[in-house]
């Protein structure tokens, strides 16, 4: 019965020493003196601010990408005990003792180190030799730009890691598909592919390019599964559902999870609140939530409100008026009504308050019980501080002559009667009887006499308008636009009919507490939209470059300069590797076209299995380079050399694949193979030499004289190499 105990339990394991060695060397190259320099290096000044916000749980908005990458960097700070107290105000600032520099840079460094053995695995899973796989890993290991980028608190190395993980996982899934579909191993790699793709997109939006590449290759393979006559219809359906669930549904859920954690952590009001809607701001602790606490929910006749424009462009602003009037004659000679100005003001101010008045009554207070305003009701808006009514008429607006002027009516007794009736249109209503609600309702004001819609034109007025933003009545407007939509941000029930008492009332706190918690999906949708549409700073940068500069390596970035010595760090690539990778991509494209044309003529230079392997390698490696590089030609944003690194990584993977193919299939004799091998060894030696030459700029641990620095420019280095070899 217990006979099995009479024999020892044996466990055997196969250890790939190549992988072990590559991992160890990768860790050494990325982790060595990781805390040096102990100063803010280039974009660490931006990422560091976001980490501090995470530590203090303060909401922020970064239009450069989703929050997963920032959360990973913040995790490093959390594990190192960082409290968020550091002023990230300039590049080169020395880190204080409370900043765990090594911990903050750890995750990017680990990502860069683990990308080295992952490159080995990808080439091996593609079906090429251990020699080619080792070559790919070594090229990633010694590439100077990849080393530099992974040793700092930046996100490119993390993005590259998840790009490679997605490709590797899919390749392992494909190889499992050939032997044991629907096995635990098969499911593991399929699910990991979806998770890795979602992580890549969650790091930076450009991660979607690799995701689409994997999705495209998976779609082609799924098409072959549909055509497999050995599989039953039920089996084919199961294959398709499994791929759809793991590669489409799961990435969406994981992506939502990133935002859920992000919003769960950042629960406090911060410096970016004004970009968000009033409802979003009110869901955060402090800030607007503190101002609006206790506001009545339903707007009633007699309510005192501030009206914020939903569009928020060019800046968030509130409907505003003051005692100044429009000039009698504008600079271009056009005349105006000389009525009281109405603008949109980008700051909180007592002149932003308006009273919602019933046109049929004179009172400016709320009845008991309050009579709520509903969709379709006609109202008048009385300016709280001047008691003049919001008005528009058939007079051209100051800077938008195609639209009507909006003013507060002044009776000059010159045959210009008031036109101050507005019909309330609740845009996001569920029914035509909806009540106008504080913060939650998005409304438009339609002028009863002319059908013009109250709209923010966004044009700054001249000095006579104090550079505030123009508000107009748009008669020719068609469809929906956020510039015509307003929402009540601050709200109180008016209690006093006397003007002086009412002015004091406008500054008093409210008493009734109404909760306004947005759902996660509402907050996610708004945050995602703002991230995609927020205007980034597109001003020219001294180190900005174009996609063509990247391929030629005709640019670099000075990341850091020691304040007392000439030691410095530059993002500078290894010219031998970059030029060879570009040449390999060109050679692959030419060979692929040549083979394709010959196969069309029924001439098969490669056996079918090797042809499929060659096509798959090109789809993932050359395709990975193309999808991560070519879209930048269409982007209207400031670009830098580091944007090319994900594309370069895929190009480097293709390089040993092309070299092995040339050796195995194009070198006809043993002599040719020997000569080609000698050339490859010489080429790799030169790449190692350039990498070592650039080491002082990669690690920044040695002072350089001006002549030494000049000699390290890649064009001069290339001339030195040619003379030497």
């Amino acid at each position: 019965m217990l006979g099995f105990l009479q024999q020892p339990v044996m466990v055997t394991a196969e250890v790939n020493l190549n992988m072990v060695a590559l991992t160890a060397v990768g860790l050494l190259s990325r982790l060595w003196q990781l805390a040096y320099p102990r100063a803010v290096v280039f974009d660490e000044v931006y990422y560091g601010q976001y980490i501090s916000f995470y530590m203090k749980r303060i909401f922020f908005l970064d239009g450069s990408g989703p929050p997963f990458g920032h959360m990973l960097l913040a995790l490093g700070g959390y594990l190192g005990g960082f409290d968020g107290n550091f002023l990230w105000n300039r590049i080169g600032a020395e880190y204080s003792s409370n900043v765990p520099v090594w911990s903050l840079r750890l995750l990017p460094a680990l990502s860069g180190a683990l990308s080295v053995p992952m490159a080995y695995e990808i080439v091996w899973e593609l079906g090429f030799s251990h020699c080619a796989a080792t070559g790919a890993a070594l090229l990633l290991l010694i590439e100077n730009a990849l080393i530099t980028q992974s040793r700092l608190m930046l996100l490119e190395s993390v993005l590259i890691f998840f790009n490679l993980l997605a490709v590797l996982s899919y390749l392992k899934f494909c190889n499992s598909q050939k032997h044991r579909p629907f096995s635990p191993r098969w499911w593991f790699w399929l699910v990991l592919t979806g998770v890795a793709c979602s992580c890549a997109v969650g790091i930076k939006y450009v991660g979607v390019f690799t995701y689409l590449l994997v999705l495209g290759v998976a779609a082609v393979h799924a098409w072959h599964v549909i055509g497999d006559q050995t599989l039953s219809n039920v089996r084919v359906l199961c294959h398709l559902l499994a791929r759809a669930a793991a590669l489409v549904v799961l990435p969406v859920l994981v992506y939502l999870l990133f935002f859920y954690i992000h919003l769960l952590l950042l629960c406090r009001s911060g410096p970016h609140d004004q970009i968000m809607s009033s409802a979003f701001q009110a869901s955060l602790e402090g800030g607007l939530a503190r101002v609006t606490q206790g506001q009545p929910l339903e707007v009633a006749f007699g309510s005192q409100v501030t009206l914020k424009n939903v569009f928020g462009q060019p800046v968030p602003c509130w409907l505003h008026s003051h005692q100044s009037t429009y000039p009698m004659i504008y600079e271009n000679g056009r005349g105006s009504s000389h009525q009281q100005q109405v603008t949109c003001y980008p700051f909180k101010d007592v002149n932003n308050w308006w009273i919602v008045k019933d046109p049929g009554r004179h009172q400016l207070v709320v009845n008991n019980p309050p009579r709520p305003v509903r969709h379709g009701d006609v109202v008048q808006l009385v300016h709280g501080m001047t008691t003049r009514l919001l008005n528009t008429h058939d007079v051209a607006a100051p800077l938008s002559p195609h639209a009507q002027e909006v003013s507060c009516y002044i009776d000059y007794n010159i045959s210009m009667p008031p036109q101050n009736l507005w019909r309330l249109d609740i845009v996001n209503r569920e029914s035509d009887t909806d009540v106008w609600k504080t913060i939650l309702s998005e409304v438009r004001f339609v002028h009863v006499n002319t059908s013009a819609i109250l709209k923010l034109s966004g044009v700054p007025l001249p000095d006579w308008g104090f550079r505030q933003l123009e508000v107009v009545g748009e008669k020719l407007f068609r469809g929906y636009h956020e510039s015509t939509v307003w929402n009540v941000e601050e709200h109180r029930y008016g209690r006093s009919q006397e003007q002086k008492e009412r002015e004091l009332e406008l500054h008093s706190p409210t008493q009734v507490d109404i909760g306004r918690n947005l759902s996660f999906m509402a907050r996610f949708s708004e945050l995602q939209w703002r991230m995609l549409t927020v205007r980034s700073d597109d001003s020219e940068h001294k180190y900005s470059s174009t996609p063509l500069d990247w391929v030629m390596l005709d640019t670099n970035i000075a990341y850091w300069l020691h304040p007392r010595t000439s030691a410095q760090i530059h993002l500078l690539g290894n010219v031998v590797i970059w030029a060879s990778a570009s040449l390999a991509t060109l050679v692959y494209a030419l060979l692929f076209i040549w083979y394709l044309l010959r196969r069309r003529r029924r001439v098969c230079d490669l056996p079918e299995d090797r042809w499929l392997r060659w096509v798959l390698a090109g789809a993932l490696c050359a395709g990975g380079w193309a999808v991560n590089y070519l879209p930048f030609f269409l982007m209207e944003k400031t670009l830098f050399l580091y944007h090319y690194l994900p594309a370069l990584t895929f190009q480097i993977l293709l390089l040993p694949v092309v070299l092995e193919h040339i050796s195995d299939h194009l070198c006809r004799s043993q002599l040719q193979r020997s000569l080609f091998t000698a050339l490859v060894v010489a080429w790799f030696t030169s790449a190692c030499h350039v990498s070592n030459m650039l080491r002082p700029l990669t690690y920044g641990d040695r002072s350089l004289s001006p002549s030494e620095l000049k000699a390290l420019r890649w064009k001069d280095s290339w001339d030195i190499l040619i003379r030497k070899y």
Side-chain angles (χ1 to χ4, degrees):
M1 179 177 177
L2 300 177
F4 71 93
L5 294 178
Q6 297 177 2
Q7 298 294 330
V9 178
M10 305 294 293
V11 177
T12 60
E14 293 183 358
V15 178
N16 188 331
L17 294 181
N18 284 9
M19 286 280 291
V20 173
L22 288 170
T23 303
V25 179
L27 290 171
L28 179 63
S29 66
R30 269 64 176 179
L31 296 179
W32 184 75
Q33 289 191 347
L34 187 61
Y36 177 85
R38 195 173 175 82
V40 179
V41 179
F42 202 61
D43 278 350
E44 287 187 343
V45 72
Y46 301 112
Y47 292 118
Q49 295 176 26
Y50 302 143
I51 293 173
S52 290
F53 287 144
Y54 273 114
M55 298 300 104
K56 298 179 180 180
R57 306 194 68 177
I58 294 175
F59 173 78
F60 68 89
L61 175 67
D62 178 23
S64 66
F68 182 54
H70 303 96
M71 289 193 293
L72 286 178
L73 296 179
L75 176 62
Y78 175 78
L79 295 176
F82 183 44
D83 57 7
N85 292 318
F86 181 77
L87 187 61
W88 310 85
N89 58 350
R90 64 180 180 87
I91 298 173
E94 294 288 330
Y95 284 121
S96 56
S97 58
N98 69 310
V99 181
V101 181
W102 192 88
S103 179
L104 288 170
R105 294 173 179 169
L106 176 61
L107 288 178
L110 288 177
S111 299
L114 295 179
S115 296
V116 174
M118 208 176 299
Y120 175 94
E121 278 288 296
I122 289 174
V123 176
W124 171 246
E125 290 292 333
L126 282 169
F128 293 88
S129 68
H130 285 287
C131 182
T134 303
L138 290 176
L139 290 174
L140 255 65
L141 174 69
I142 67 174
E143 213 300 301
N144 297 83
L146 294 177
I147 296 174
T148 301
Q149 199 71 12
S150 61
R151 286 175 48 81
L152 302 171
M153 192 173 58
L154 306 172
L155 288 179
E156 272 65 35
S157 63
V158 187
L159 173 63
I160 291 170
F161 171 81
F162 283 110
N163 282 346
L164 296 181
L165 181 60
V167 171
L168 175 60
S169 301
Y170 185 75
L171 288 173
K172 286 186 174 291
F173 159 74
C174 286
N175 292 332
S176 299
Q177 167 76 17
K178 299 174 184 176
H179 306 293
R180 294 184 61 192
F182 298 104
S183 64
R185 174 185 173 88
W186 185 90
W187 277 109
F188 173 79
W189 290 116
L190 179 60
V191 169
L192 185 59
T193 302
V195 172
C197 287
S198 186
C199 290
V201 179
I203 298 292
K204 286 195 171 186
Y205 287 127
V206 292
V208 75
F209 299 140
T210 301
Y211 175 42
L212 293 176
L213 173 69
V214 173
L215 213 57
V217 174
V220 173
H221 288 168
W223 183 253
H224 290 311
V225 169
I226 294 174
D228 190 347
Q229 296 296 323
T230 64
L231 300 176
S232 65
N233 292 340
V234 174
R235 194 77 168 176
V236 169
L237 181 61
C238 290
H239 274 285
L240 297 180
L241 289 177
R243 286 163 169 78
L247 300 181
V248 178
V249 177
L250 181 61
V252 171
L253 294 178
V254 174
Y255 186 76
L256 289 174
L257 179 63
F258 296 151
F259 277 87
Y260 182 82
I261 298 174
H262 175 72
L263 292 172
L264 187 66
L265 293 174
L266 305 183
C267 58
R268 297 172 181 167
S269 175
H272 298 165
D273 287 11
Q274 298 299 323
I275 301 175
M276 311 305 294
S277 70
S278 302
F280 193 102
Q281 294 179 52
S283 68
L284 300 171
E285 298 176 10
L288 183 61
R290 183 174 52 202
V291 173
T292 60
Q293 183 178 10
Q295 291 188 159
L297 177 62
E298 296 183 348
V299 178
F301 288 105
S303 286
Q304 300 167 355
V305 299
T306 63
L307 295 166
K308 182 181 180 182
N309 190 266
V310 172
F311 188 39
Q313 299 290 344
V315 291
C317 63
W318 292 262
L319 189 66
H320 176 93
S321 186
H322 39 245
Q323 291 187 346
S324 299
T325 60
Y326 291 110
M328 188 72 74
I329 302 295
Y330 295 124
E331 291 83 349
N332 59 8
R334 284 195 301 112
S336 79
S337 66
H338 199 48
Q339 298 276 314
Q340 181 172 303
Q341 296 177 15
V342 172
T343 65
C344 207
Y345 190 49
F347 301 99
K348 298 291 183 69
D349 187 88
V350 71
N351 281 315
N352 297 345
W353 284 95
W354 299 82
I355 302 170
V356 181
K357 179 180 176 296
D358 183 348
R361 300 189 178 189
H362 293 292
Q363 64 185 36
L364 298 177
V365 296
V366 175
N367 292 336
N368 191 14
R371 188 159 62 94
V373 183
R374 299 181 182 275
H375 169 74
D377 284 352
V378 175
V379 301
Q380 291 174 314
L381 294 178
V382 181
H383 187 240
M385 299 301 292
T386 63
T387 67
R388 289 178 174 145
L389 280 74
L390 187 71
N391 183 85
T392 188
H393 40 218
D394 194 16
V395 175
L399 302 179
S400 304
H402 64 279
Q404 292 183 175
E405 174 192 88
V406 175
S407 63
C408 278
Y409 179 75
I410 303 174
D411 187 2
Y412 288 122
N413 290 320
I414 54 172
S415 303
M416 184 177 284
Q419 297 185 30
N420 49 35
L421 299 179
W422 301 86
R423 188 178 70 254
L424 184 74
D425 178 17
I426 302 179
V427 177
N428 59 342
R429 66 185 182 277
E430 295 181 359
S431 71
D432 287 343
T433 60
D434 273 10
V435 174
W436 186 7
K437 295 178 180 177
T438 306
I439 292 180
L440 302 178
S441 294
E442 297 182 350
V443 302
R444 293 191 299 185
F445 296 98
V446 183
H447 191 236
V448 172
N449 296 69
T450 64
S451 298
I453 299 175
L454 188 68
K455 176 186 176 183
L456 168 68
S457 75
V459 182
L461 294 169
D463 290 339
W464 55 257
F466 309 102
R467 297 293 172 180
Q468 296 172 19
L469 303 179
E470 181 190 44
V471 174
V472 301
E474 181 62 81
K475 292 185 65 174
L476 303 177
F477 187 78
R478 296 291 184 271
Y480 170 87
H481 193 274
E482 289 180 333
S483 61
T484 64
V485 181
W486 308 79
N487 73 277
V488 172
E489 186 171 88
E490 297 179 63
H491 175 212
R492 56 172 54 89
Y493 282 163
R495 301 297 180 188
S496 177
Q497 187 72 17
E498 296 297 325
Q499 175 66 13
K500 290 185 177 180
E501 294 180 6
R502 188 163 56 246
E503 291 179 9
L504 294 175
E505 191 178 14
L506 291 175
H507 296 89
S508 64
T510 53
Q511 303 298 324
V512 185
D513 189 14
I514 301 293
R516 301 177 189 85
N517 292 323
L518 283 180
S519 66
F520 162 69
M521 287 306 299
R523 299 176 74 203
F524 162 76
S525 300
E526 179 179 346
L527 179 57
Q528 182 66 85
W529 175 250
R530 294 295 183 190
M531 292 172 67
L532 291 172
T533 58
V534 67
R535 294 183 179 180
S536 58
D537 183 13
D538 293 332
S539 58
E540 195 69 22
H541 192 281
K542 64 183 295 186
Y543 292 117
S544 62
S545 53
T546 67
L548 288 177
D549 294 331
W550 305 340
V551 177
M552 302 302 296
L553 198 53
D554 199 19
T555 181
N556 72 93
I557 305 175
Y559 270 3
W560 171 79
L561 175 66
H562 196 284
R564 292 177 297 277
T565 70
S566 58
Q568 49 198 291
I569 294 176
H570 285 238
L571 184 68
L572 188 62
N574 186 316
V575 63
V576 176
I577 296 177
W578 287 53
S580 303
S582 298
L583 181 61
T585 305
L586 177 62
V587 170
Y588 177 89
L590 295 175
L591 286 175
F592 178 81
I593 294 172
W594 172 252
Y595 289 146
L596 202 60
L597 292 174
R598 285 176 61 81
R599 288 176 70 86
R600 188 64 179 166
R601 300 291 298 172
R602 300 292 189 271
V603 179
C604 297
D605 299 285
L606 299 175
E608 190 64 22
D609 60 332
R610 295 193 176 185
W611 166 250
L612 293 176
R613 186 176 67 187
W614 176 250
V615 171
L616 181 60
L620 290 176
C621 299
W625 168 80
V627 299
N628 282 283
Y629 173 60
L630 299 181
F632 284 103
F633 284 95
L634 305 176
M635 294 185 185
E636 295 181 359
K637 56 179 291 187
T638 305
L639 300 175
F640 297 92
L641 179 62
Y642 56 72
H643 286 118
Y644 186 60
L645 296 183
L648 174 71
T649 303
F650 283 103
Q651 211 175 28
I652 290 175
L653 295 181
L654 185 65
L655 181 50
V657 169
V658 171
L659 292 177
E660 180 173 293
H661 181 82
I662 293 174
S663 176
D664 292 348
H665 298 282
L666 300 183
C667 294
R668 302 297 183 182
S669 65
Q670 186 61 40
L671 177 60
Q672 289 177 336
R673 290 193 182 93
S674 300
L675 290 174
F676 183 74
T677 301
L679 288 175
V680 170
V681 171
W683 161 79
F684 184 75
T685 302
S686 66
C688 292
H689 178 72
V690 171
S691 180
N692 184 61
M693 250 185 7
L694 297 178
R695 183 187 173 283
L697 294 180
T698 301
Y699 290 90
D701 55 355
R702 184 167 69 84
S703 299
L704 296 171
S705 65
S707 59
E708 289 176 320
L709 181 61
K710 182 180 179 181
L712 291 179
R713 293 174 184 166
W714 79 261
K715 292 180 179 178
D716 298 325
S717 303
W718 187 246
D719 293 338
I720 293 172
L721 271 177
I722 292 175
R723 288 195 297 269
K724 184 172 182 179
Y725 290 96

